[in-house]
Amino acid sequence: MPRPVTNRPLLKAYDYIVVGSGSGGAAVARRLIEGADATVLVIEAGSAEFDAPEITDPTRWVPLGRSRHDWLYDYAPTERVAGRTIGIPRGKVLGGSSSTNAMMWYRGHSADYDAWGAAGCDGWSFADCLPYFKRAEDWEGGETAFRGAGGPLRIETSKALHPVAQALIEGAGELGIPRIADPNSETNEGAAPSNFNISGGKRWSSVTGYLAPIFGNPRLTILCNSQAVGLMIENGAIVGVQHLVEGQPIETRATTQVVLAAGAIDTPRLLMLSGIGDPEELASLGIEFRHALPGVGKNLQDHPLVQAVVCRSKQPMGPALDNGGGSMINWKSRSGLLQPDIHAFPVQGNSAEPRIRELYDLSGDVFSIGAGLMHSKSIGHVKMLSSDPFGPLDIQPNYLAEPSDLDALIVAVETMMDLAETRAFSDLFDGFSAPSRRLSKPEMIDFIRQGCSTFFHPVGTAKMGNDEMAVVDARLKLRGLDGLTIADASVIPIIPTCNTHAPVTMIGERAADFLLGAA
């Protein structure tokens, strides 16, 4: 694998500056280099260690969430999650969260993107987005009406499903949930092998796919270990980025555009640090007000995940395969829904939240089934608690604030217990460990509150649209100030029913086309 050129002199100005090298930023940088004669600077707060062994090994991804490659963010506690602080992993390394995530490639349901169009994001229906999903893909099955081939991101399924992953698919059929060949095809409702960004037994991150092939391009500069701390604003336009180099603040100018791709937490923080946001909130922090956009930091959405239904196993799990999972199920919590709203996956071991580990005996050989809500309705916020770029944040998804979210999770957990008792699991299942038995509704609600965790899919904090809370327009340009495009999960107005790597990559692909005048 090639290495980024790290000794290239830093210029005073570039045509484009991309802040963040994750799913959106990497796609933008690649397409700008390919599509124009522009100079591009990518600023990454994390290290260049995208190829560290703990990152490239698909079975070692879970501990990355509290490692030196992580921002160490937390969701603030509420009584709805039993007063617990929930860690929210975000990659702080070249490739961002694409270098630390679970390597799932999944775009959800077509209705997700049609809902964006209906919410005031013209040109963002599924039909509009599908060509960009396809352009990103190198799908193992080749090109189809729904899949792409030859794109930067390799996507494969398991070469040999773990017995727990196979049982999940077969057991779903016993519960009336159909088996489907590909959850990224015509329908996503059913059980299927997972789509992974894994090839040759190694993680295939956005660095691997988008950036590594252009590492040597003389028009590309990748600057790692450099945190952006502000945006330069002159005469009603964003003209550059203030960032740290070896701990010292410098200013680098963008002659054409700044592209902000720092994610749903750090993008709103950088906007607020620059005086862009809710004037009252900025004043309370002592930050000089520059431009009113009250939606900055609002509209935070994430998928709640109950971790987990843990079962005693009749046999050892053996070496971990794939990412420790291997398959997935999407189904409806109640009849009459337009699309599946709940999701489950197997874990080849114990995936319980710390509180669940305290409450139950999970010793011995176990496997787990994680169940979560992909069509969540609860909405929260990201707030700065000081004007310090490294200061604390109040990050609050408001999990379970909407009663319908809790109702759907009850169905999800109960269905997972039903699944464990199907014939498909008869060679594995040896009784429940957590919960240790069937629960009454009040007991089940308590179990969900104690076990509620995150899929780490935060979105929405600089949403796209045309209402007063929108931060960017339908071409991803900051509303009211020239010179800034946002190309990350923060622009998503309504959370899609899927892992967010694929939709954010699609957003990066579209952002590049907008910048290049190709769309």
Side-chain angles (χ1 to χ4, degrees):
M1 177 65 65
R3 299 285 301 165
V5 178
T6 56
N7 60 352
R8 191 163 284 156
L10 188 63
L11 306 179
K12 294 291 185 181
Y14 296 80
D15 293 315
Y16 295 94
I17 298 176
V18 180
V19 180
S21 63
S23 306
V28 171
R30 168 72 172 271
R31 299 310 185 189
L32 291 177
I33 289 293
E34 289 181 334
D37 292 328
T39 56
V40 178
L41 170 66
V42 176
I43 298 174
E44 169 56 50
S47 75
E49 298 177 89
F50 75 98
D51 55 355
E54 66 271 22
I55 288 177
T56 59
D57 183 346
T59 68
R60 297 171 63 182
W61 70 270
V62 173
L64 294 172
R66 275 296 183 261
S67 73
R68 60 195 173 92
H69 306 299
D70 185 53
W71 282 93
L72 303 177
Y73 291 137
D74 291 313
Y75 284 152
T78 71
E79 72 283 355
R80 294 184 299 274
V81 293
R84 295 176 303 113
T85 297
I86 298 172
I88 173 63
R90 310 304 303 150
K92 189 178 183 181
V93 63
L94 192 63
S97 294
S98 81
S99 293
T100 62
N101 67 10
M103 296 152 288
M104 298 285 289
W105 181 265
Y106 179 40
R107 62 176 177 242
H109 193 276
S110 60
D112 295 333
Y113 306 95
D114 293 340
W116 295 6
C121 306
D122 293 339
W124 287 85
S125 71
F126 181 67
D128 296 315
C129 297
L130 180 58
Y132 295 90
F133 280 118
K134 292 181 65 175
R135 188 165 81 176
E137 292 184 338
D138 185 22
W139 167 234
E140 68 176 7
E143 185 172 6
T144 71
F146 291 93
R147 303 308 303 260
L153 294 180
R154 182 65 181 168
I155 303 158
E156 300 180 4
T157 55
S158 177
K159 298 297 182 289
L161 279 174
H162 190 279
V164 171
Q166 187 65 47
L168 191 87
I169 295 173
E170 294 174 1
E174 295 181 46
L175 300 182
I177 299 171
R179 179 169 185 164
I180 55 176
D182 178 13
N184 286 312
S185 191
E186 186 172 7
T187 180
N188 71 331
E189 185 171 1
S194 297
N195 280 203
F196 291 124
N197 294 120
I198 298 173
S199 185
K202 292 187 176 182
R203 175 189 295 272
W204 194 284
S205 70
S206 294
V207 186
T208 311
Y210 280 98
L211 294 182
I214 58 170
F215 276 160
N217 191 295
R219 292 182 286 109
L220 174 68
T221 300
I222 296 176
L223 181 64
C224 292
N225 298 303
S226 179
Q227 183 159 337
V229 294
L231 300 169
M232 301 162 58
I233 305 174
E234 296 177 3
N235 302 317
I238 308 295
V239 298
V241 178
Q242 299 162 338
H243 55 117
L244 303 180
V245 175
E246 296 181 351
Q248 299 302 309
I250 70 166
E251 294 185 343
T252 306
R253 301 182 76 86
T255 59
T256 303
Q257 193 88 178
V258 173
V259 180
L260 193 47
I265 296 173
D266 283 290
T267 280
R269 170 150 70 174
L270 189 58
L271 291 171
M272 290 185 280
L273 284 168
S274 307
I276 301 169
D278 185 312
E280 292 186 5
E281 292 185 8
L282 294 173
S284 71
L285 296 168
I287 296 175
E288 181 186 358
F289 164 66
R290 302 298 299 274
H291 182 60
L293 282 174
V296 172
K298 311 297 194 300
N299 194 49
L300 174 65
Q301 301 161 63
D302 192 6
H303 297 132
L305 166 65
V306 180
Q307 287 275 63
V309 174
V310 184
C311 304
R312 294 189 297 275
S313 178
K314 293 178 179 177
Q315 55 186 274
M317 288 292 99
L321 302 179
D322 306 309
N323 70 342
S327 59
M328 59 189 290
I329 310 175
N330 305 297
W331 78 107
K332 296 173 181 174
S333 62
R334 53 187 173 85
S335 61
L337 293 176
L338 174 65
Q339 63 190 98
D341 62 331
I342 47 182
H343 172 91
F345 57 90
V347 177
Q348 302 157 23
N350 181 7
S351 67
E353 273 289 283
R355 182 67 62 82
I356 298 300
R357 294 172 190 249
E358 294 171 3
L359 296 173
Y360 295 92
D361 178 7
L362 306 182
S363 60
D365 294 317
V366 298
F367 63 88
S368 307
I369 307 174
L373 179 61
M374 287 290 185
H375 216 193
S376 47
K377 301 295 192 296
S378 300
I379 294 175
H381 60 257
V382 174
K383 292 181 179 179
M384 292 174 58
L385 298 177
S386 81
S387 59
D388 182 350
F390 300 94
L393 298 173
D394 173 20
I395 312 174
Q396 180 53 261
N398 280 326
Y399 278 153
L400 312 183
E402 292 294 328
S404 62
D405 287 359
L406 183 58
D407 291 342
L409 284 172
I410 291 171
V411 173
V413 176
E414 289 179 339
T415 305
M416 291 307 92
M417 297 185 78
D418 292 341
L419 184 70
E421 293 183 320
T422 60
R423 293 188 302 276
F425 278 92
S426 60
D427 291 337
L428 295 168
F429 179 69
D430 197 27
F432 293 110
S433 290
S436 56
R437 56 176 174 79
R438 294 284 181 164
L439 303 176
S440 65
K441 184 174 181 179
E443 289 173 328
M444 180 61 77
I445 290 173
D446 182 66
F447 179 80
I448 290 170
R449 296 196 193 284
Q450 301 286 357
C452 185
S453 180
T454 172
F455 276 99
F456 41 93
H457 299 158
V459 308
T461 50
K463 77 166 188 169
M464 170 174 42
N466 56 16
D467 61 84
E468 65 179 14
M469 297 302 286
V471 176
V472 298
D473 63 21
R475 295 182 75 81
L476 305 178
K477 295 291 185 68
L478 190 76
R479 298 176 72 214
L481 285 179
D482 293 332
L484 183 70
T485 290
I486 302 181
D488 60 27
S490 68
V491 306
I492 293 174
I494 303 169
I495 193 167
T497 56
C498 58
N499 306 75
T500 47
H501 176 45
V504 175
T505 302
M506 177 272 292
I507 288 167
E509 289 274 8
R510 297 207 70 186
D513 264 14
F514 294 150
L515 291 167
L516 293 169

